[in-house]
Amino acid sequence: MLQDLPADAGAAAAYSGLGIVLMVLGFVLVDVLTPGNLRHQIWVERNRNAALLVAANMLGVGIIVATAIWTSGGAIGQALISSAVYGIIGLVAMGLAFLVLEFATPGEFRGVVNEHELHPGVWVSAAVHIAVAAVVASALT
């Protein structure tokens, strides 16, 4: 058990590093798809709409990465590759779902992220992010 500690710690660090990279990509994706500076909206303006959308994206990425690790059967190489591939697929699918949602709703959906009052459409978009991630994650099993 103790002899496995270095390998297990290395695996945890590798999984964490990949998860963080994918979450950064998710943040960038949401920033590109929404108007304005997302970091400024969340941490300076305290915009709850922007924070909710990013939080759902981060949860979605976490679901995909965790499922890739869980289904890898302990093979770190396989888990890292699965996490990367399915993580990118998930991000692309979340981005496409966001664009489809914008197309299917009246007005400019992207603009509601900038509103300071919590908008119901952002809850729908957040749910779509998590649902898409669950679908992608279930493809791993």
Side-chain angles (χ1 to χ4, degrees), residues 16 25 31 41 49 61 64 82 86 89-90 95 100 106 113 119 125 133:
S16 298
L25 290 175
D31 196 18
Q41 288 180 37
N49 289 317
V61 170
I64 294 168
S82 293
Y86 284 91
I89 290 170
V100 167
V113 174
H119 193 285
S125 183

Side-chain angles (χ1 to χ4, degrees), residues 8 14 32-33 42-43 60 63 68-69 71 74 78 81 84 93-94 97 99 104 106 116 121 124 129-131 139:
D8 292 345
V32 167
L33 291 175
I42 294 171
W43 281 278
I63 289 167
I69 294 166
T71 60
Q78 177 184 340
I81 291 169
M94 285 184 238
L99 294 174
H116 288 283
V124 173
H129 278 275
I130 294 170

Side-chain angles (χ1 to χ4, degrees), residues 60-116:
V61 170
I63 289 167
I64 294 168
V65 172
T67 304
I69 294 166
W70 184 265
T71 60
S72 69
I76 185 171
Q78 177 184 340
L80 288 171
I81 291 169
S82 293
S83 295
V85 169
Y86 284 91
I88 296 297
I89 290 170
L91 289 172
V92 169
M94 285 184 238
L96 289 173
F98 183 85
L99 294 174
V100 167
L101 186 61
E102 180 179 38
F103 179 74
T105 57
E108 182 190 13
F109 179 73
R110 293 181 202 196
V112 302
V113 174
N114 289 334
E115 294 180 13
H116 288 283

